Amino acid sequence: YNFLKILVGFALKIFFRRIYISGLENIKTDRPQLIASNHPSGFLEPLIMACFFPKSLHFLVRGDVFDKKWLRPLLINTNQIPIFRYKDGFSRLRENTQTMDESSRVLLDNQNLLIFVEGSTQSIKKLRPLQKGIARIGFQALDKNPDLNLEILPVGINFTFTSLFNDEVMLKVGKPIAVKDYYQEYITDKNHATERLLQDTYLQMLPNVVHLEDQTRLPTFEEMVLLTRKETLMVSPFPVYVEDAERLNK
């Protein structure tokens, strides 16, 4: 993990013109945290967070990739946990019980777990509805230790263009949400507590994401932003990595 963190981090600094990251002070080493992120790219988001976050991450990833025997050791040794989807078949879905147990163990060990809460990848500039998995994992961990100081970190990651070389990425980590603030309600009304936690997480993520409710406006939006980007083409290319939210706020 640590070797790849250095190697991939160097490659990312070559691939992107600039990497803007802010809110890293919200990542704590003295408590477990669930990283709730949007998912506009297939694989760049976990690489960026693993390389530039100050605490190592565990990841929930598509379970079918673990079927490749040659790849499995690498996945395990880079803290990846399989999770199966409906299209993987009912028999594979039952394996998610083990996934939930492994996710709880990660949190009970004071580690951080990254979850792409939209449930799938879609290259759009919009925060989609959140899936219930992050709430279930959080509450299950508290079932095992009600005193666990578990937090959800609302993260938004934004690419100027998702897969183009020499463009920009802007990532912002929001203020943490304490899961135990919802736990007493969860004991009496699981569904309502889950929905409330998801809604609050969504609202905390929203300011960190370039969000266009009407995606038909996206071409016009991109044209306008391109005009703004031209103003920065003459800026010094170094440093590539900048801890600053100004670019996203603009």
Side-chain angles (χ1 to χ4, degrees), residues 131-149:
Q131 302 299 306
K132 295 181 180 180
I134 191 167
R136 289 172 178 166
I137 290 171
F139 287 134
Q140 180 172 302
L142 287 180
D143 282 339
K144 296 182 178 180
N145 180 5
D147 295 324
L148 188 68
N149 189 15

Side-chain angles (χ1 to χ4, degrees), residues 53-213:
F53 278 13
K55 186 177 180 181
S56 295
L57 297 177
H58 289 71
F59 314 86
L60 289 182
V61 299
R62 279 173 36 198
D64 60 323
V65 299
F66 278 76
D67 293 337
K68 300 175 181 178
K69 293 183 179 180
W70 62 272
L71 188 58
R72 189 179 179 90
L74 176 63
L75 298 173
I76 293 172
N77 284 289
T78 51
N79 301 339
Q80 303 192 51
I81 303 170
I83 186 165
F84 297 94
R85 301 159 297 173
Y86 285 107
K87 68 179 184 179
D88 295 320
F90 180 74
S91 62
R92 303 305 299 269
L93 281 176
R94 287 183 293 183
E95 297 182 40
N96 283 339
T97 300
Q98 183 177 344
T99 295
M100 296 291 284
D101 290 340
E102 177 66 13
S103 298
S104 294
R105 185 196 62 77
V106 166
L107 298 173
L108 292 169
D109 286 346
N110 195 40
Q111 301 180 71
N112 285 10
L113 178 65
L114 169 62
I115 300 178
F116 294 111
V117 287
E118 296 168 310
S120 62
T121 303
Q122 194 171 354
S123 184
I124 59 174
K125 288 180 169 60
K126 178 180 179 179
L127 181 60
R128 292 173 285 142
L130 310 190
Q131 302 299 306
K132 295 181 180 180
I134 191 167
R136 289 172 178 166
I137 290 171
F139 287 134
Q140 180 172 302
L142 287 180
D143 282 339
K144 296 182 178 180
N145 180 5
D147 295 324
L148 188 68
N149 189 15
L150 174 62
E151 295 176 336
I152 291 178
L153 276 185
V155 170
I157 186 164
N158 309 272
F159 301 90
T160 50
F161 291 104
T162 308
S163 59
L164 294 184
F165 173 76
N166 202 29
D167 267 278
E168 298 177 352
V169 57
M170 295 153 283
L171 186 151
K172 186 175 180 180
V173 182
K175 298 294 184 182
I177 300 168
V179 179
K180 61 183 176 182
D181 288 349
Y182 303 78
Y183 187 61
Q184 288 304 314
E185 180 182 3
Y186 174 78
I187 294 174
T188 58
D189 190 338
K190 290 181 171 57
N191 291 332
H192 190 267
T194 296
E195 291 300 328
R196 194 163 68 88
L197 178 55
L198 289 175
Q199 177 67 10
D200 289 351
T201 301
Y202 184 91
L203 292 175
Q204 290 288 85
M205 291 176 66
L206 202 56
N208 306 332
V209 176
V210 177
H211 179 89
L212 287 175
E213 188 64 38

Side-chain angles (χ1 to χ4, degrees), residues 22-36:
S22 61
L24 293 180
E25 68 276 5
N26 295 316
I27 300 175
K28 308 298 183 182
T29 57
D30 63 344
R31 69 200 67 173
Q33 294 176 313
L34 282 164
I35 313 295

